[in-house]
Amino acid sequence: MVATGPEVARRPALIDVKIAQGHLDAGLFVAPDLAGFAGHFPDFPILPGVVQLDWAVHYAREFLLIEEPVLRVERLKYTCPIIPNTRLQLNLCYDSRKGAVDFRFYRYADDSNEVLFSQGRLVYATEPVLA
């Protein structure tokens, strides 16, 4: 059985963070012992989509200071599984006209081509206010 208590990390390690006027670019390292991998799946662990959504909401709250609840998720696509020991980028972009944050998890391959893991839009119940 895999431990999922408070001693097990729920989020990836932050490698670097860049924030500028409603935009976040963060480098992340997805360690193999993250709680999200527990039971999903024992012989080929992949990060569940709901965990990726949790991360996008969490980092929008933490770094873009958006406290409003998410009303719905739009344009959600999972295109490549995230496996343990993956280094990836998270991009968040706040759109004040739509009251939404577009997110995408991706990385660049050795040949500089982008590998997209997932993307979507978080639509908030009321227009978020950036502090």
Side-chain angles (χ1 to χ4, degrees), residues 64-65 129-131:
L64 301 181
L65 306 176
V129 175
L130 296 177

Side-chain angles (χ1 to χ4, degrees), residues 2-57:
V2 177
T4 57
E7 69 281 354
V8 177
R10 291 184 51 216
R11 295 192 182 83
L14 287 169
I15 298 168
D16 59 59
V17 176
K18 296 174 189 151
I19 305 167
Q21 296 189 348
H23 290 76
L24 168 78
D25 286 302
L28 309 172
F29 177 72
V30 182
D33 59 348
L34 286 176
F37 288 117
H40 202 261
F41 299 94
D43 294 332
F44 185 74
I46 61 173
L47 193 69
V50 69
V51 173
Q52 296 171 53
L53 280 174
D54 175 68
W55 292 356
V57 171

Side-chain angles (χ1 to χ4, degrees), residues 2-131:
V2 177
T4 57
E7 69 281 354
V8 177
R10 291 184 51 216
R11 295 192 182 83
L14 287 169
I15 298 168
D16 59 59
V17 176
K18 296 174 189 151
I19 305 167
Q21 296 189 348
H23 290 76
L24 168 78
D25 286 302
L28 309 172
F29 177 72
V30 182
D33 59 348
L34 286 176
F37 288 117
H40 202 261
F41 299 94
D43 294 332
F44 185 74
I46 61 173
L47 193 69
V50 69
V51 173
Q52 296 171 53
L53 280 174
D54 175 68
W55 292 356
V57 171
H58 171 79
Y59 290 121
R61 181 173 287 130
E62 181 177 345
F63 292 107
L64 301 181
L65 306 176
I66 300 174
E67 295 295 331
E68 302 299 327
V70 175
L71 179 64
R72 66 183 177 276
V73 179
E74 298 177 343
R75 300 181 181 183
L76 183 60
K77 294 180 186 175
Y78 298 101
T79 55
C80 185
I82 297 175
I83 60 174
N85 293 312
T86 299
R87 187 173 175 161
L88 53 90
Q89 293 293 121
L90 169 61
N91 176 265
L92 300 175
C93 183
Y94 168 67
D95 185 332
S96 62
R97 293 172 294 131
K98 296 177 181 172
V101 171
D102 288 328
F103 71 88
R104 58 190 192 104
F105 290 96
Y106 67 98
R107 73 173 171 83
Y108 287 104
D110 293 335
D111 57 5
S112 297
N113 288 327
E114 184 180 284
V115 175
L116 180 66
F117 295 104
S118 61
Q119 66 182 3
R121 175 176 290 154
L122 306 171
V123 180
Y124 291 87
T126 58
E127 186 173 316
V129 175
L130 296 177

